[in-house]
């Protein structure tokens, strides 16, 4: 079910980016590139209510338990600031829409620095719960390129092994390469041995990827691949987030090649625009192996996110 009237489309990019870029949210979900990519899987929809844009979606973390919950993103501003009384009006109006649809109201993916904004609009009305599974991992681009120091010793060894044992080329991805990309993604998924609900998500992701690579230039993705023996064996897809950050949405590599994951990460960062300082590699979704992998890259900071709910009367 879509909560609001408007969908995420290429044609709506201009107005969406006006609000998405109107404030330094800093969270991986607040970029057009990620919203377009997952618009169908997460049932994203939006409306402008009063002074602010309201965006809703489905929380994917509960899907494996058979639970589908709608949530509201933090209302988005196009002006760089929030008026407490007008924000309060927007939140109450959004809650009313949720209730008319029989949905429990919550604001999710709320960055920590916005808690005072919500508190000023609704003093004492809401409770805020730390949402650790959705914290974003943020790295210095330079760290992921240089891999200097003891903390990156293992990563550097894997990368050096790759460089010393394989021939490859890094290429920017274009829409004309869609068929080649989808062949790689199909083969990548075929090697997976995961629970049924995770495979269902992979199939939905595959459909999303097909659309992404058909419209890669129109949406403004930053993407590249490693070719080996004239075949794509790794790829990375990201998009701009705020003034000096790129969010990496997708990273896949053929694990048959030692060091290939380190190589695609390294090459992707090397080929980003010079003004990019940080890489946001998104959340770990409370998956132990993913958390371990993201921590092993030594983030310089975590973007903490919260769930905000109205206190019970």
């Amino acid at each position: 079910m879509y909560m609001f009237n408007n969908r995420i489309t290429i044609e709506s990019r201009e107005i969406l980016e006006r609000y998405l870029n109107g404030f330094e949210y800093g969270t991986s979900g607040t970029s057009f590139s990620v919203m377009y990519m997952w618009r169908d899987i997460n049932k994203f929809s939006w409306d402008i209510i009063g002074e602010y844009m309201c965006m809703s979606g489905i929380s994917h973390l509960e899907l494996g338990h058979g639970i589908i919950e709608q949530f509201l993103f933090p209302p988005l501003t196009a002006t760089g600031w929030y008026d407490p009384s007008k924000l309060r009006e927007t939140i109450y109006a959004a809650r009313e829409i949720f209730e008319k649809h029989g949905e429990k109201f919550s604001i999710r993916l709320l960055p920590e620095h916005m808690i005072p904004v919500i508190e000023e609009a609704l003093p004492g009305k809401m409770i805020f719960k730390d949402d650790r599974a959705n914290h974003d991992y943020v790295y210095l681009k330079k760290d992921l390129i240089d891999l200097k120091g003891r903390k990156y010793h293992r990563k550097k060894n894997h990368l050096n092994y790759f460089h010393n044992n394989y021939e490859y080329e890094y290429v920017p991805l274009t829409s004309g390469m869609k068929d080649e990309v989808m062949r790689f993604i199909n083969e990548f998924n075929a090697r997976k041995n995961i629970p049924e609900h995770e495979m269902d998500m992979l199939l939905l992701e595959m459909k999303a990827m097909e659309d992404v690579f058909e419209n890669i230039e129109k949406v403004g993705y930053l993407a590249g691949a490693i070719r080996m023996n004239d075949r794509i064996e790794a790829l990375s897809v990201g998009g701009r987030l705020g003034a000096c950050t790129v969010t990496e949405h997708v990273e896949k590599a053929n694990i048959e090649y030692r060091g290939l994951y380190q190589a695609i990460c390294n090459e992707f960062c090397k080929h980003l625009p010079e003004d990019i300082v940080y890489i946001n590699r998104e959340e770990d979704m409370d998956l132990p192996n993913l958390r371990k992998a993201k921590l092993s890259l030594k983030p310089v900071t975590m973007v903490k996110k919260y769930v905000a709910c109205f206190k019970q009367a």
Side-chain angles (χ1 to χ4, degrees), residues 121-260:
L122 295 158
K125 298 288 187 182
M126 304 198 83
I127 56 174
F128 303 92
K129 180 183 177 182
D130 190 347
D131 187 12
R132 177 61 181 86
N134 272 308
H135 288 190
D136 286 336
Y137 293 75
V138 180
Y139 310 82
L140 283 171
K141 179 180 76 171
K142 182 175 173 56
D143 284 349
L144 299 185
I145 292 173
D146 296 340
L147 295 178
K148 286 185 177 179
R150 292 184 64 184
K151 64 182 180 179
Y152 289 115
H153 180 69
R154 291 185 64 187
K155 304 289 184 186
K156 188 74 170 182
N157 280 348
H158 287 308
L159 182 62
N160 287 340
Y161 181 92
F162 182 82
H163 286 158
N164 293 333
N165 288 275
Y166 302 112
E167 292 186 1
Y168 74 97
E169 63 170 340
Y170 180 85
V171 294
L173 286 174
T174 68
S175 54
M177 299 164 67
K178 186 187 78 169
D179 291 344
E180 187 181 0
V181 169
M182 294 313 299
R183 181 229 24 111
F184 164 73
I185 290 175
N186 271 295
E187 292 179 357
F188 181 90
N189 289 343
R191 290 190 289 268
K192 291 280 188 178
N193 182 18
I194 55 178
E196 184 178 352
H197 77 272
E198 289 187 31
M199 182 55 72
D200 290 341
M201 287 297 293
L202 267 186
L203 294 175
L204 288 171
E205 180 192 84
M206 190 162 60
K207 183 180 178 182
M209 290 295 98
E210 191 165 9
D211 184 273
V212 162
F213 288 107
E214 194 168 293
N215 295 288
I216 195 165
E217 295 88 3
K218 292 178 182 178
V219 180
Y221 289 107
L222 300 166
I226 284 179
R227 273 203 187 113
M228 303 172 69
N229 299 316
D230 293 322
R231 292 167 59 87
I232 289 176
E233 297 292 357
L235 60 80
S236 187
V237 182
R240 278 189 171 267
L241 175 69
C244 58
T245 301
V246 159
T247 299
E248 189 177 30
H249 310 317
V250 175
E251 183 183 86
K252 298 182 186 293
N254 186 344
I255 60 172
E256 293 177 5
Y257 297 100
R258 177 185 165 188
L260 184 50

Side-chain angles (χ1 to χ4, degrees), residues 240-292:
R240 278 189 171 267
L241 175 69
C244 58
T245 301
V246 159
T247 299
E248 189 177 30
H249 310 317
V250 175
E251 183 183 86
K252 298 182 186 293
N254 186 344
I255 60 172
E256 293 177 5
Y257 297 100
R258 177 185 165 188
L260 184 50
Y261 262 109
Q262 287 75 29
I264 187 62
C265 176
N266 190 255
E267 293 289 347
F268 178 71
C269 292
K270 282 180 180 177
H271 287 84
L272 290 174
E274 289 186 8
D275 63 333
I276 298 302
V277 179
Y278 299 103
I279 310 297
N280 183 319
R281 287 172 63 90
E282 301 188 341
E283 63 283 309
D284 61 36
M285 299 179 289
D286 221 14
L287 300 173
N289 288 340
L290 189 55
R291 180 168 295 180
K292 182 179 178 181

Side-chain angles (χ1 to χ4, degrees), residues 4 49-50 54 88-98 105:
F4 298 121
I49 301 176
C54 289
R88 180 168 57 251
E89 291 172 6
T90 294
I91 291 174
Y92 278 137
R95 182 176 69 166
E96 186 176 338
I97 292 170
F98 271 64
F105 178 81

